[in-house]
Amino acid sequence: MGARARAFAERRRRAREARREKALVPAASIAGRALVTVIAIMTFLAALTAGAAILIADASSSWRNEVSREMTVQIRPSATRDVEADLRKAAEIVRKAPGVASARPYSRDESEALLEPWLGANLDLSELPVPRLIVVTLRPGAYLDATALSRALAEAVPGASLDDHHRWMRRLALMANSVVVVAATIFALVLAAMTLAVAFATRGAMAGNREIIEVLHFVGAADDYVARQFQRHFFRLGLRGGLIGGLCAVAIFYLSATLLSALRSTPGGDQLEAMFGGFSLGGAVYGAILAIALGVALLTALVSRIIVLRHLRELS
């Protein structure tokens, strides 16, 4: 029984190989492996681009949400006024404004520390008129009339000004939107290049099987049958390449998140995390990479089907 079972299994294996060799589109070929490699590379680039755009958009949204809940009052020192008294008076005015959760005046040492990244840590600023700051935190969902508060501060404390960060937020939004537009353009170019690669591969496969295709067509085989053979073949190639490229993109994001976590205690790591987030793969990034991989497979199948049907119509 054991020998019979082995012989039967061997006959089935040979039959499958024979059917595969006689298939209209060979399942394994050098051109097919090359196309899988190209699709994997294109999917990898598209997934990286889409993931980076999502991460930057999320980080930008987080920045704007945090900044929109804060304002800054600046008190410029004057030789004729007591800056400490002006600071306390301005803080009291701000705390009474509706919608304000807290108002924290910065000490002189804290204000000078803010200038160290630009002026250096060893510079004596005691003789310079360093502006004093009050950080204002708003209540969640509360509305603050910034114009009225700015007018009240200017009347009560000469040299006081209120900055609601709207100009900075507009620039930040413009920068983030520009990055997203550039990423979308790169994504579209990658898809266009991949479409051309699939089109050339389909034409090459058709050229290699031209006689068989023409015979099938002239003996009455339906165009949909022939197109379906190519469509199924290229869908498998596209799915394989898309999954490989998508998994490579996930690995890159994971390694980046691990590296950033290791550098988080350094100043450079803090700045990278503040600018780009933690490179954590949330549901949106995973969903985008999966959608790209599946979309690549569908696009590959669709392009091959369209080209085959067009060629068959030309034969008619």
Side-chain angles (χ1 to χ4, degrees):
M1 291 296 293
R4 285 185 183 178
R6 286 195 296 272
F8 179 73
E10 180 65 19
R11 284 196 299 270
R12 291 191 61 184
R13 184 183 66 80
R14 291 178 179 176
R16 285 196 301 268
E17 290 180 354
R19 287 196 299 270
R20 191 178 298 116
E21 291 174 358
K22 295 178 181 178
L24 182 58
V25 186
S29 64
I30 296 176
R33 290 192 291 270
L35 182 61
V36 169
T37 303
V38 171
I39 292 176
I41 293 173
M42 294 297 182
T43 305
F44 173 72
L45 295 176
L48 280 186
T49 302
I54 292 173
L55 291 176
I56 291 176
D58 290 345
S60 173
S61 178
S62 177
W63 297 337
R64 283 178 283 180
N65 289 335
E66 291 180 4
V67 172
S68 64
R69 292 195 298 266
E70 288 188 354
M71 294 183 178
T72 304
V73 177
Q74 178 178 278
I75 309 294
R76 290 187 294 273
S78 174
T80 60
R81 298 185 61 85
D82 184 358
V83 67
E84 296 294 339
D86 288 344
L87 193 67
R88 290 191 296 269
K89 187 175 183 180
E92 189 64 26
I93 294 173
V94 171
R95 292 191 184 101
K96 293 180 180 179
V100 173
S102 65
R104 177 178 174 271
Y106 272 29
S107 66
R108 181 177 177 85
D109 291 340
E110 290 174 319
S111 299
E112 292 178 356
L114 296 176
L115 300 177
E116 288 183 1
W118 290 271
L119 302 180
N122 300 321
L123 185 64
D124 184 12
L125 303 177
S126 59
E127 301 298 327
L128 296 179
V130 178
R132 304 294 295 279
L133 302 177
I134 301 173
V135 177
V136 182
T137 304
L138 305 181
R139 296 192 186 97
Y143 171 74
L144 176 65
D145 190 348
T147 303
L149 179 57
S150 180
R151 188 183 305 113
L153 286 171
E155 294 174 354
V157 182
S161 60
L162 177 67
D163 182 7
D164 57 4
H165 304 160
H166 280 174
R167 180 181 302 176
W168 189 82
M169 283 192 293
R170 285 195 297 269
R171 293 179 179 176
L172 179 61
L174 178 62
M175 181 191 71
N177 293 336
S178 300
V179 171
V180 172
V181 169
V182 171
T185 303
I186 295 175
F187 184 82
L189 292 175
V190 168
L191 289 184
M194 185 175 60
T195 301
L196 291 176
V198 173
F200 283 120
T202 303
R203 293 184 183 277
M206 292 178 63
N209 299 273
R210 180 178 179 181
E211 293 81 3
I212 300 176
I213 294 172
E214 291 179 353
V215 169
L216 287 174
H217 178 72
F218 289 123
V219 299
D223 291 353
D224 185 68
Y225 167 77
V226 179
R228 211 165 43 242
Q229 303 304 310
F230 282 88
Q231 178 180 334
R232 189 180 300 116
H233 171 72
F234 281 98
F235 176 79
R236 287 195 293 265
L237 295 181
L239 185 60
R240 192 186 311 163
L243 291 178
I244 293 173
L247 289 176
C248 289
V250 171
I252 289 296
F253 282 116
Y254 177 78
L255 292 176
S256 299
T258 303
L259 180 61
L260 184 60
S261 178
L263 296 176
R264 188 168 295 168
S265 59
T266 65
D270 291 340
Q271 293 175 6
L272 285 175
E273 185 175 11
M275 291 181 64
F276 302 108
F279 283 97
S280 58
L281 294 182
V285 178
Y286 276 121
I289 293 176
L290 178 61
I292 289 171
L294 295 178
V296 163
L298 294 175
L299 178 63
T300 303
L302 179 62
V303 170
S304 65
R305 179 181 179 84
I306 291 173
I307 291 177
V308 172
L309 289 176
R310 182 179 300 173
H311 176 73
L312 293 174
R313 282 196 297 268
E314 291 175 356
L315 292 178
S316 301

